[in-house]
Structures are given as C-alpha cells and as structure tokens.
C-alpha cells in the first residue's frame, strides 16, 4: 500500500511514471506531526553510494567485488559523532540490511530509516572482510543527539521584526538589515537584546528581510550548537554582538 506522491503522464492518461510513499512511512509522519509538531528524522551518519550507482568510484567498485557483494550501500565516510560512528560501522563496510529487511541501494536504506525516530535501535547488517556482521545502532537526529526535535518557530525568540526603513538606512549608511521592533519574554530577552537593535548578520548571513532571519533560525535549530549569533547595531550607531541560545528542554 502506498500514497501517490508524483504522477507524471506524457499522454494525459494513466500511463507514465508513478511514485508512492509507503503507508508505513506516512503513518509515522502523521503521528510525528500530531505528537511533536514536526517530523522526527533519524540519521545513520554515513556518506556512501549504492553499489549499482554508475558514479561509484573505481576503488569502491573494486573493494565491493573483493567482498563478493553486488547489492547494498558502500560506506565511503562515517560522520564523526553520528549514529554509525558510535556503533562501530566502518568505512568500506557494505550495508545490506536493516532489521531483517534487505537494503539493495541508498533509496531503500533511506526508506528504512524514515520509519524510525531518534533514539530507536536498529540492527544493521553489513558485509565486512567477506563476512556478514550485524551491528546494533542507536539512531540520532541532525544535532547528533537522541532527543525529540520540537517544532520551533521565530515565536520562541519573543520579538517582532521589520525591515529597516529607507530613512534609517540612509542615516546610518546601511545597505541591509532588519530591526527588532519589540521584545517580550523569550530567547532574545534572555540574550540581552533590546528594542531597536538592527540585525545585520545572523550566523554570518546578511539579513535583507525577515525571511532571511527565518532561514538562519531554521538552520541554527538543526545544528549541534543551536546558537544564533547576531551582529548589528543600534540607531545610535553603537555596534553589538549577541549569542542567542535556541536549545529547548
């Protein structure tokens, strides 16, 4: 059973290519949204390619042939601090299964992982030195932890924003920036930011609009540090820098 995600039909009839999301994954997605407000993504913490991928390097292809395996995912890199690194998965391993389900390519690996949340334990079957080995892996999130990711929006900052007026830009000789137009209880107040502060950069990115801040905020919440570094100035001309802690208990 699956739910259609894409249906491309060159004839206008039911001919063409159909792609479907397995109902088991959709059930998990809906459950996540209801319970946490956002989808909980579990990452294995590797970089690799399907053995059937034409872009697989000659060296990787040679190593796979030496292992005597034709299907699976070749592990080219193990991400430091990730799920795989903590469990002992190694470079040159070939992943061929998860929890008893065959893994023939990267798409199937990602499909199996999509059924799980951070903190889940999975049995990963690999080929190493021509032998099958089963490794129990505790899955982590994008931040490298097993914590539940909460749906955090700009509202947790406890502040209102607007683009800097043309008059103020001219007065301060600014080409960009967004201004804090109000501060209440929240992350901004905790960091010591006051009304009137003009944010010029957030985590090194130039702020032209509130949407730029939203993008920087989203990236920061998914990073291990969970900090938004703000650089800017006040209408008086005084420069200031702040570190806004975005972590949630």
């Amino acid at each position: 059973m699956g739910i259609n995600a894409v249906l491309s039909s060159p004839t206008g009839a039911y001919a063409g290519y159909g792609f479907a999301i397995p109902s088991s994954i959709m059930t998990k997605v809906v459950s996540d949204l209801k319970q946490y407000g956002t989808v909980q993504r579990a990452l294995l913490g590797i970089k690799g390619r399907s053995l059937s991928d034409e872009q697989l390097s000659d060296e990787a292809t040679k190593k796979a042939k030496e292992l005597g395996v034709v299907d699976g995912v070749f592990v080219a890199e193990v991400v430091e601090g990730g799920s795989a690194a903590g469990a002992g998965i190694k470079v040159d391993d070939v992943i061929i299964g998860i929890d008893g389900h065959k893994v023939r390519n990267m798409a199937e690996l990602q499909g199996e992982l999509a059924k799980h949340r951070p903190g889940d334990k999975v049995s990963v079957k690999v080929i190493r030195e021509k032998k099958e080995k089963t490794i129990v892996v505790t899955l982590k999130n994008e931040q490298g932890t097993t914590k539940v990711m909460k749906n955090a929006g700009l509202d947790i900052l406890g502040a209102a924003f607007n683009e800097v007026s043309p008059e103020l830009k001219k007065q301060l000789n600014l080409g960009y920036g967004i201004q804090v137009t109000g501060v209440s209880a929240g992350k901004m107040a905790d960091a010591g930011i006051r009304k009137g502060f003009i944010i010029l950069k957030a985590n090194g990115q130039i702020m032209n609009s509130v949407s730029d801040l939203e993008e920087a905020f989203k990236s920061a919440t998914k990073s291990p540090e969970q900090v938004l570094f703000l650089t800017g100035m006040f209408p008086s001309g005084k420069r200031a820098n702040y570190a806004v802690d975005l972590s949630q208990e």
Side-chain angles (χ1 to χ4, degrees), residues 41-46 78-89 98-99 112-113 116-125 134-148:
R41 294 188 63 218
L43 306 179
L44 188 56
I46 66 158
V78 176
V79 179
E80 184 178 353
S83 311
I89 291 177
I98 290 185
D99 284 344
E112 290 300 321
L113 291 173
H116 295 278
R117 299 185 177 98
D120 288 353
K121 293 182 183 295
V122 295
S123 296
V124 179
K125 184 179 289 187
T134 300
I135 301 172
V136 177
V137 180
T138 300
L139 298 174
K140 297 180 180 180
N141 57 32
E142 293 171 303
Q143 298 169 352
T145 73
T146 57
K147 292 181 179 180
V148 166

Side-chain angles (χ1 to χ4, degrees), residues 10-71:
T11 65
Y14 295 105
Y17 297 97
F19 300 89
I21 300 170
S23 57
S24 57
I25 294 178
M26 284 305 302
T27 299
K28 186 253 183 189
V29 168
V30 172
S31 177
D32 283 353
L33 292 175
K34 286 182 176 179
Q35 189 170 354
Y36 308 109
T38 187
V39 178
Q40 302 299 307
R41 294 188 63 218
L43 306 179
L44 188 56
I46 66 158
K47 293 181 181 180
R49 286 189 179 277
S50 307
L51 293 184
S52 57
D53 193 331
E54 293 181 356
Q55 296 183 8
L56 190 69
S57 69
D58 292 340
E59 183 180 357
T61 300
K62 180 182 178 182
K63 289 178 179 178
K65 286 182 178 179
E66 290 175 352
L67 292 174
V69 60
V70 294
D71 288 323

